[in-house]
Amino acid sequence: MAYRHHDQNNIACTVGFKMGVAIQANHRSKKRIIMNVVEPSMDMVDAYKDYVQDCFDQGVSHYEEATENPQEALQSIIDAATGENLPEGYLPYKTYFAVEDGQISGAIRYRLGTNEFCENVIGHIGYETRPSRRKAGVATFLYTHVVKNCLHGRALVMCTIDNLGSVKVIESLPHRILGEAYNDHEQAIIRTYEVESPIV
């Protein structure tokens, strides 16, 4: 599921994409910012701790447990890529971080395989952006990387219909709208998109 956020800190910038790297030119400070896609590793625990605390403080509630034990939480998402230590019925999933100057700016999860819960409730791809980096192209950068470089075949992506930021991210790439329906899990009307790869 693409989580809903209230965007802040609208910094004007342009974003140039290369394979796993985005170069941002901040028009206010003239500073060039290098953004990379990085798979999680345990040497990132300090950056991860800072990231999850910032996200949780700004209302990203699913990081509550991660703030209590960030080292264990980071290890769990590393393990999840190979299906280790997952609750029954959970699919393996890969996590990727957008990293700028050693700081995690956003995260995206790509669920491997499919099941009824993915097909009908949360989709296969979910992401969020660090509150201070919203409207800086982070979500689009991560989403583009996963769809173009990691996705094989089809995937479903879902967001609430009033989450205009996520709508813009998802619709930035070729897609097909499958429909809209009330989702008990999110207690909101959800739009479901289908995306496919490879995308040239």
Side-chain angles (χ1 to χ4, degrees):
M1 177 63 62
Y3 292 93
R4 179 179 180 178
H5 298 296
H6 298 287
D7 292 320
Q8 305 175 49
N9 303 318
N10 185 9
I11 299 174
C13 65
T14 56
V15 182
F17 294 101
K18 295 191 290 186
M19 287 292 292
V21 179
I23 301 173
Q24 297 188 344
N26 187 320
H27 300 320
R28 293 183 186 172
S29 67
K30 305 299 184 183
K31 180 182 178 181
R32 286 169 62 85
I33 302 170
I34 306 294
M35 182 159 47
N36 294 285
V37 175
V38 177
E39 294 191 37
S41 62
M42 289 309 296
D43 60 2
M44 301 177 69
V45 66
D46 289 338
Y48 183 71
K49 177 181 179 180
D50 182 59
Y51 174 72
V52 298
Q53 189 64 60
D54 191 11
C55 288
F56 179 69
D57 289 345
Q58 296 297 323
V60 186
S61 59
H62 70 266
Y63 277 129
E64 181 175 7
E65 289 187 14
T67 63
E68 298 169 358
N69 193 335
Q71 185 169 354
E72 182 178 300
L74 181 58
Q75 184 63 61
S76 73
I77 65 175
I78 294 170
D79 292 344
T82 56
E84 296 179 56
N85 303 317
L86 289 174
E88 184 177 354
Y90 275 55
L91 292 173
Y93 63 90
K94 297 202 72 171
T95 299
Y96 301 91
F97 295 135
V99 176
E100 303 170 280
D101 294 330
Q103 184 180 75
I104 298 172
S105 296
I108 190 165
R109 288 158 293 280
Y110 168 42
R111 299 176 181 92
L112 307 174
T114 195
N115 59 22
E116 184 177 354
F117 193 61
C118 281
E119 294 283 338
N120 297 306
V121 181
I122 60 170
H124 299 95
I125 299 172
Y127 52 83
E128 79 277 329
T129 300
R130 190 184 191 104
S132 61
R133 297 298 293 140
R134 292 172 187 160
K135 289 194 174 181
V138 176
T140 301
F141 170 59
L142 284 169
Y143 181 69
T144 300
H145 175 81
V146 166
V147 172
K148 289 191 172 183
N149 301 294
C150 307
L151 178 62
H152 300 286
R154 69 182 283 276
L156 300 182
V157 191
M158 302 178 183
C159 71
T160 56
I161 59 173
D162 60 348
N163 184 353
L164 300 183
S166 277
V167 168
K168 184 177 179 180
V169 169
I170 298 166
E171 295 187 358
S172 68
L173 294 179
H175 62 276
R176 185 162 68 97
I177 298 175
L178 299 184
E180 297 176 357
Y182 185 80
N183 184 305
D184 290 330
H185 186 261
E186 290 294 312
Q187 297 187 340
I189 297 175
I190 298 296
R191 180 178 297 161
T192 300
Y193 296 86
E194 183 181 62
V195 295
E196 294 189 75
S197 194
I199 294 175
V200 178

